[in-house]
Amino acid sequence: MSTPTPHISAKLGDFAKTVLMPGDPLRAKFIVDHYLEDAVLVNPVRGVNGYTGTYKGKKVSVMASGMGMPSMGIYSYELFHFYDVDNIIRIGSAGSLQEDLKIRDIAFGMGACTNSSFARQFELPGDFAPIASFELLQKAVKAAENKKVHYKVGNFLSSDTFYDDSQRTMDWAKMGILCVEMEAAALYMNAARAGKNALAICTISDSIITGEQTTSEERQNSFHEMMEIALEIA
């Protein structure tokens, strides 16, 4: 397959080597409006607008992934395989599964467990452990320390279900899982298969333990520290 793809209308070369991927298209637009210079719309398909501009002189692209592993799987695959993108940094929200991970803290996904069957396509003779790029993770942790933000590094749960009928999401906490989100595992698997780099950075938007949560507007327009960390390492 060549460009454009079924989901991206950009031309080869329109995207930077590093793409920041929030789940929300409006969070992508917020980043463009507040952080990028000379940003150009390179993909308008399905309203999942992709932009390329510069941040402190570096070429950077921002495009939403949508919600869930199928959506992240499509966009990250096309960016890695057809647009010569080397690094994708997910910047999303997550629900805390640990008492010491509070609202607005930042979590870095060193690994991503999942209840999804996404890995079956690779026909492996066992279970695959999706992990982040160590190089990106190392840079992100250093940037977080420079900003003096509260962060934790560890394992995520990438869930296929937001409304889980079994009500067993908290079972993952006993294995030290930091938080639950819906995209990182698919991103990490696609990066591994393509020989590329990926990292998921999430701001804690709610707590599964306490029920505390942020608003949709806060998730869209705040969480600045996560955005700035991703931009610094892009």
Side-chain angles (χ1 to χ4, degrees):
M1 187 185 297
S2 59
T3 57
T5 67
H7 308 93
I8 302 175
S9 62
K11 303 185 299 296
L12 185 63
D14 282 351
F15 283 99
K17 289 292 187 181
T18 299
V19 179
L20 274 55
M21 298 197 82
D24 184 356
L26 294 178
R27 188 183 298 145
K29 186 65 166 60
F30 181 91
I31 294 168
V32 170
D33 290 344
H34 290 81
Y35 292 104
L36 295 191
E37 296 181 354
D38 304 318
V40 176
L41 178 68
V42 296
N43 178 60
V45 177
R46 293 174 174 257
V48 184
N49 294 344
Y51 304 87
T52 297
T54 60
Y55 177 76
K56 296 184 178 179
K58 297 181 295 185
K59 185 178 179 181
V60 180
S61 294
V62 182
M63 189 174 79
S65 68
M67 286 191 290
M69 279 175 274
S71 186
M72 171 59 87
I74 289 170
Y75 288 115
S76 61
Y77 186 97
E78 292 185 2
L79 290 171
F80 281 143
H81 288 275
F82 306 124
Y83 285 97
D84 205 23
V85 169
D86 289 337
N87 313 293
I88 294 179
I89 303 172
R90 163 164 160 68
I91 43 175
S93 57
S96 174
L97 301 180
Q98 301 295 333
E99 290 184 359
D100 60 350
L101 195 56
K102 308 295 186 182
I103 298 291
R104 298 188 179 278
D105 285 350
I106 291 175
F108 299 109
M110 183 164 57
C113 302
T114 186
N115 57 16
S116 168
S117 60
F118 193 89
R120 291 182 187 175
Q121 63 180 302
F122 304 115
E123 298 184 336
L124 299 169
D127 296 326
F128 180 75
I131 59 172
S133 159
F134 178 74
E135 181 181 359
L136 288 178
L137 177 59
Q138 190 176 41
K139 289 179 180 177
V141 168
K142 183 177 180 180
E145 290 178 345
N146 289 340
K147 291 179 69 64
K148 295 181 170 55
V149 301
H150 188 265
Y151 72 89
K152 290 186 75 69
V153 178
N155 223 337
F156 286 7
L157 168 62
S158 295
S159 178
D160 264 347
T161 50
F162 187 88
Y163 300 104
D164 183 12
D165 194 64
S166 74
Q167 299 292 304
R168 297 189 62 183
T169 299
M170 277 303 301
D171 286 357
W172 293 86
K174 68 185 178 185
M175 300 301 290
I177 304 301
L178 296 180
C179 56
V180 56
E181 50 84 72
M182 301 185 75
E183 291 83 27
L187 172 61
Y188 288 3
M189 284 188 251
N190 275 355
R193 185 68 180 91
K196 301 296 182 76
N197 304 304
L199 175 65
I201 305 173
C202 286
T203 300
I204 299 304
S205 60
D206 58 282
S207 171
I208 310 302
I209 301 170
T210 67
E212 183 183 4
Q213 59 185 335
T214 55
T215 67
S216 59
E217 184 177 359
E218 287 175 314
R219 293 192 296 273
Q220 174 186 315
N221 295 327
S222 60
F223 298 174
H224 300 158
E225 291 170 334
M226 168 182 66
M227 301 175 191
E228 292 165 7
I229 290 169
L231 286 162
E232 288 294 333
I233 69 172

